[in-house]
PDB file of all heavy atoms in Angstrom:
ATOM      1  N   MET O 135      -5.656  29.448  11.738  1.00 93.00           N
ATOM      2  CA  MET O 135      -4.877  30.599  12.174  1.00 93.00           C
ATOM      3  C   MET O 135      -5.313  31.028  13.579  1.00 93.00           C
ATOM      4  O   MET O 135      -4.488  31.285  14.457  1.00 93.00           O
ATOM      5  CB  MET O 135      -5.073  31.761  11.200  1.00 93.00           C
ATOM      6  CG  MET O 135      -4.276  32.990  11.581  1.00 93.00           C
ATOM      7  SD  MET O 135      -4.593  34.357  10.466  1.00 93.00           S
ATOM      8  CE  MET O 135      -6.133  34.969  11.089  1.00 93.00           C
ATOM      9  N   ASP O 136      -6.623  31.073  13.781  1.00 92.00           N
ATOM     10  CA  ASP O 136      -7.133  31.444  15.105  1.00 92.00           C
ATOM     11  C   ASP O 136      -6.611  30.488  16.165  1.00 92.00           C
ATOM     12  O   ASP O 136      -6.182  30.886  17.236  1.00 92.00           O
ATOM     13  CB  ASP O 136      -8.669  31.402  15.108  1.00 92.00           C
ATOM     14  CG  ASP O 136      -9.255  32.749  14.711  1.00 92.00           C
ATOM     15  OD1 ASP O 136      -8.493  33.731  14.719  1.00 92.00           O
ATOM     16  OD2 ASP O 136     -10.452  32.797  14.385  1.00 92.00           O
ATOM     17  N   ARG O 137      -6.663  29.190  15.817  1.00 91.00           N
ATOM     18  CA  ARG O 137      -6.340  28.173  16.815  1.00 91.00           C
ATOM     19  C   ARG O 137      -4.849  28.127  17.110  1.00 91.00           C
ATOM     20  O   ARG O 137      -4.433  28.024  18.258  1.00 91.00           O
ATOM     21  CB  ARG O 137      -6.830  26.807  16.343  1.00 91.00           C
ATOM     22  CG  ARG O 137      -6.596  25.678  17.326  1.00 91.00           C
ATOM     23  CD  ARG O 137      -7.536  24.526  17.068  1.00 91.00           C
ATOM     24  NE  ARG O 137      -7.422  24.011  15.701  1.00 91.00           N
ATOM     25  CZ  ARG O 137      -6.539  23.095  15.337  1.00 91.00           C
ATOM     26  NH1 ARG O 137      -5.700  22.591  16.216  1.00 91.00           N
ATOM     27  NH2 ARG O 137      -6.477  22.678  14.099  1.00 91.00           N
ATOM     28  N   VAL O 138      -4.055  28.218  16.073  1.00 90.00           N
ATOM     29  CA  VAL O 138      -2.615  28.045  16.274  1.00 90.00           C
ATOM     30  C   VAL O 138      -1.896  29.382  16.457  1.00 90.00           C
ATOM     31  O   VAL O 138      -1.284  29.629  17.481  1.00 90.00           O
ATOM     32  CB  VAL O 138      -2.000  27.249  15.108  1.00 90.00           C
ATOM     33  CG1 VAL O 138      -0.493  27.160  15.281  1.00 90.00           C
ATOM     34  CG2 VAL O 138      -2.619  25.861  15.069  1.00 90.00           C
ATOM     35  N   TYR O 139      -2.070  30.277  15.474  1.00 91.00           N
ATOM     36  CA  TYR O 139      -1.298  31.517  15.554  1.00 91.00           C
ATOM     37  C   TYR O 139      -1.810  32.450  16.650  1.00 91.00           C
ATOM     38  O   TYR O 139      -1.050  32.921  17.495  1.00 91.00           O
ATOM     39  CB  TYR O 139      -1.305  32.241  14.202  1.00 91.00           C
ATOM     40  CG  TYR O 139      -0.814  33.660  14.313  1.00 91.00           C
ATOM     41  CD1 TYR O 139       0.545  33.918  14.527  1.00 91.00           C
ATOM     42  CD2 TYR O 139      -1.701  34.736  14.276  1.00 91.00           C
ATOM     43  CE1 TYR O 139       0.994  35.216  14.684  1.00 91.00           C
ATOM     44  CE2 TYR O 139      -1.259  36.026  14.433  1.00 91.00           C
ATOM     45  CZ  TYR O 139       0.097  36.276  14.636  1.00 91.00           C
ATOM     46  OH  TYR O 139       0.544  37.542  14.800  1.00 91.00           O
ATOM     47  N   CYS O 140      -3.107  32.722  16.649  1.00 90.00           N
ATOM     48  CA  CYS O 140      -3.643  33.706  17.592  1.00 90.00           C
ATOM     49  C   CYS O 140      -3.442  33.270  19.038  1.00 90.00           C
ATOM     50  O   CYS O 140      -3.128  34.078  19.907  1.00 90.00           O
ATOM     51  CB  CYS O 140      -5.117  33.970  17.326  1.00 90.00           C
ATOM     52  SG  CYS O 140      -5.394  34.735  15.733  1.00 90.00           S
ATOM     53  N   GLN O 141      -3.589  31.966  19.271  1.00 87.00           N
ATOM     54  CA  GLN O 141      -3.415  31.505  20.644  1.00 87.00           C
ATOM     55  C   GLN O 141      -1.960  31.569  21.073  1.00 87.00           C
ATOM     56  O   GLN O 141      -1.658  32.012  22.178  1.00 87.00           O
ATOM     57  CB  GLN O 141      -3.951  30.078  20.795  1.00 87.00           C
ATOM     58  CG  GLN O 141      -5.439  30.080  21.117  1.00 87.00           C
ATOM     59  CD  GLN O 141      -5.987  28.695  21.342  1.00 87.00           C
ATOM     60  OE1 GLN O 141      -5.231  27.735  21.507  1.00 87.00           O
ATOM     61  NE2 GLN O 141      -7.290  28.600  21.339  1.00 87.00           N
ATOM     62  N   ASP O 142      -1.075  31.135  20.177  1.00 87.00           N
ATOM     63  CA  ASP O 142       0.340  31.126  20.545  1.00 87.00           C
ATOM     64  C   ASP O 142       0.847  32.539  20.782  1.00 87.00           C
ATOM     65  O   ASP O 142       1.638  32.783  21.686  1.00 87.00           O
ATOM     66  CB  ASP O 142       1.167  30.456  19.440  1.00 87.00           C
ATOM     67  CG  ASP O 142       0.933  28.955  19.431  1.00 87.00           C
ATOM     68  OD1 ASP O 142       0.222  28.498  20.367  1.00 87.00           O
ATOM     69  OD2 ASP O 142       1.421  28.268  18.526  1.00 87.00           O
ATOM     70  N   SER O 143       0.416  33.486  19.928  1.00 88.00           N
ATOM     71  CA  SER O 143       0.985  34.829  20.047  1.00 88.00           C
ATOM     72  C   SER O 143       0.029  35.792  20.751  1.00 88.00           C
ATOM     73  O   SER O 143       0.208  37.004  20.699  1.00 88.00           O
ATOM     74  CB  SER O 143       1.332  35.361  18.657  1.00 88.00           C
ATOM     75  OG  SER O 143       0.199  35.245  17.825  1.00 88.00           O
ATOM     76  N   ARG O 144      -0.986  35.222  21.403  1.00 88.00           N
ATOM     77  CA  ARG O 144      -1.913  36.005  22.225  1.00 88.00           C
ATOM     78  C   ARG O 144      -2.533  37.189  21.482  1.00 88.00           C
ATOM     79  O   ARG O 144      -2.588  38.307  21.982  1.00 88.00           O
ATOM     80  CB  ARG O 144      -1.212  36.517  23.488  1.00 88.00           C
ATOM     81  CG  ARG O 144      -0.756  35.392  24.393  1.00 88.00           C
ATOM     82  CD  ARG O 144      -0.090  35.894  25.640  1.00 88.00           C
ATOM     83  NE  ARG O 144       0.487  34.775  26.371  1.00 88.00           N
ATOM     84  CZ  ARG O 144      -0.205  33.974  27.167  1.00 88.00           C
ATOM     85  NH1 ARG O 144      -1.493  34.168  27.358  1.00 88.00           N
ATOM     86  NH2 ARG O 144       0.380  32.968  27.793  1.00 88.00           N
ATOM     87  N   GLN O 145      -2.964  36.916  20.276  1.00 88.00           N
ATOM     88  CA  GLN O 145      -3.692  37.927  19.520  1.00 88.00           C
ATOM     89  C   GLN O 145      -5.185  37.663  19.662  1.00 88.00           C
ATOM     90  O   GLN O 145      -5.593  36.517  19.848  1.00 88.00           O
ATOM     91  CB  GLN O 145      -3.332  37.822  18.024  1.00 88.00           C
ATOM     92  CG  GLN O 145      -1.912  38.207  17.696  1.00 88.00           C
ATOM     93  CD  GLN O 145      -1.705  39.705  17.672  1.00 88.00           C
ATOM     94  OE1 GLN O 145      -2.668  40.454  17.537  1.00 88.00           O
ATOM     95  NE2 GLN O 145      -0.469  40.135  17.835  1.00 88.00           N
ATOM     96  N   PRO O 146      -6.002  38.719  19.603  1.00 89.00           N
ATOM     97  CA  PRO O 146      -7.443  38.448  19.587  1.00 89.00           C
ATOM     98  C   PRO O 146      -7.796  37.690  18.314  1.00 89.00           C
ATOM     99  O   PRO O 146      -7.079  37.791  17.309  1.00 89.00           O
ATOM    100  CB  PRO O 146      -8.070  39.848  19.573  1.00 89.00           C
ATOM    101  CG  PRO O 146      -6.989  40.774  19.164  1.00 89.00           C
ATOM    102  CD  PRO O 146      -5.697  40.150  19.590  1.00 89.00           C
ATOM    103  N   SER O 147      -8.851  36.912  18.373  1.00 91.00           N
ATOM    104  CA  SER O 147      -9.253  36.151  17.192  1.00 91.00           C
ATOM    105  C   SER O 147      -9.522  37.136  16.062  1.00 91.00           C
ATOM    106  O   SER O 147      -9.780  38.315  16.294  1.00 91.00           O
ATOM    107  CB  SER O 147     -10.516  35.349  17.482  1.00 91.00           C
ATOM    108  OG  SER O 147     -11.619  36.226  17.515  1.00 91.00           O
ATOM    109  N   ILE O 148      -9.455  36.635  14.858  1.00 92.00           N
ATOM    110  CA  ILE O 148      -9.602  37.539  13.721  1.00 92.00           C
ATOM    111  C   ILE O 148     -11.005  38.152  13.726  1.00 92.00           C
ATOM    112  O   ILE O 148     -11.199  39.302  13.319  1.00 92.00           O
ATOM    113  CB  ILE O 148      -9.297  36.811  12.385  1.00 92.00           C
ATOM    114  CG1 ILE O 148      -9.197  37.812  11.228  1.00 92.00           C
ATOM    115  CG2 ILE O 148     -10.367  35.785  12.061  1.00 92.00           C
ATOM    116  CD1 ILE O 148      -7.998  38.714  11.315  1.00 92.00           C
ATOM    117  N   PHE O 149     -11.968  37.408  14.250  1.00 91.00           N
ATOM    118  CA  PHE O 149     -13.332  37.927  14.323  1.00 91.00           C
ATOM    119  C   PHE O 149     -13.380  39.136  15.265  1.00 91.00           C
ATOM    120  O   PHE O 149     -13.878  40.197  14.912  1.00 91.00           O
ATOM    121  CB  PHE O 149     -14.273  36.828  14.827  1.00 91.00           C
ATOM    122  CG  PHE O 149     -15.724  37.206  14.737  1.00 91.00           C
ATOM    123  CD1 PHE O 149     -16.428  37.032  13.553  1.00 91.00           C
ATOM    124  CD2 PHE O 149     -16.383  37.750  15.825  1.00 91.00           C
ATOM    125  CE1 PHE O 149     -17.758  37.384  13.457  1.00 91.00           C
ATOM    126  CE2 PHE O 149     -17.713  38.105  15.734  1.00 91.00           C
ATOM    127  CZ  PHE O 149     -18.402  37.920  14.551  1.00 91.00           C
ATOM    128  N   ALA O 150     -12.812  38.950  16.473  1.00 90.00           N
ATOM    129  CA  ALA O 150     -12.802  40.049  17.437  1.00 90.00           C
ATOM    130  C   ALA O 150     -12.042  41.238  16.869  1.00 90.00           C
ATOM    131  O   ALA O 150     -12.469  42.389  17.001  1.00 90.00           O
ATOM    132  CB  ALA O 150     -12.155  39.593  18.734  1.00 90.00           C
ATOM    133  N   LYS O 151     -10.949  40.929  16.210  1.00 91.00           N
ATOM    134  CA  LYS O 151     -10.132  41.992  15.626  1.00 91.00           C
ATOM    135  C   LYS O 151     -10.956  42.799  14.617  1.00 91.00           C
ATOM    136  O   LYS O 151     -10.948  44.032  14.618  1.00 91.00           O
ATOM    137  CB  LYS O 151      -8.912  41.362  14.939  1.00 91.00           C
ATOM    138  CG  LYS O 151      -8.062  42.311  14.143  1.00 91.00           C
ATOM    139  CD  LYS O 151      -7.124  43.088  15.046  1.00 91.00           C
ATOM    140  CE  LYS O 151      -6.304  44.093  14.237  1.00 91.00           C
ATOM    141  NZ  LYS O 151      -5.695  45.095  15.106  1.00 91.00           N
ATOM    142  N   SER O 152     -11.697  42.078  13.802  1.00 91.00           N
ATOM    143  CA  SER O 152     -12.447  42.763  12.749  1.00 91.00           C
ATOM    144  C   SER O 152     -13.625  43.544  13.334  1.00 91.00           C
ATOM    145  O   SER O 152     -14.028  44.565  12.794  1.00 91.00           O
ATOM    146  CB  SER O 152     -12.950  41.760  11.719  1.00 91.00           C
ATOM    147  OG  SER O 152     -14.011  41.019  12.265  1.00 91.00           O
ATOM    148  N   MET O 153     -14.164  43.086  14.478  1.00 91.00           N
ATOM    149  CA  MET O 153     -15.218  43.855  15.126  1.00 91.00           C
ATOM    150  C   MET O 153     -14.644  45.184  15.609  1.00 91.00           C
ATOM    151  O   MET O 153     -15.261  46.230  15.493  1.00 91.00           O
ATOM    152  CB  MET O 153     -15.816  43.080  16.308  1.00 91.00           C
ATOM    153  CG  MET O 153     -16.564  41.816  15.905  1.00 91.00           C
ATOM    154  SD  MET O 153     -17.949  42.139  14.809  1.00 91.00           S
ATOM    155  CE  MET O 153     -17.553  41.097  13.429  1.00 91.00           C
TER     156      MET O 153
END
Side-chain angles (χ1 to χ4, degrees):
Chain O
M135 181 183 80
D136 270 345
R137 182 158 57 86
V138 176
Y139 166 72
C140 295
Q141 273 183 14
D142 288 354
S143 52
R144 297 181 188 279
Q145 292 282 340
S147 74
I148 191 68
F149 189 84
K151 173 81 182 164
S152 73
M153 294 300 124

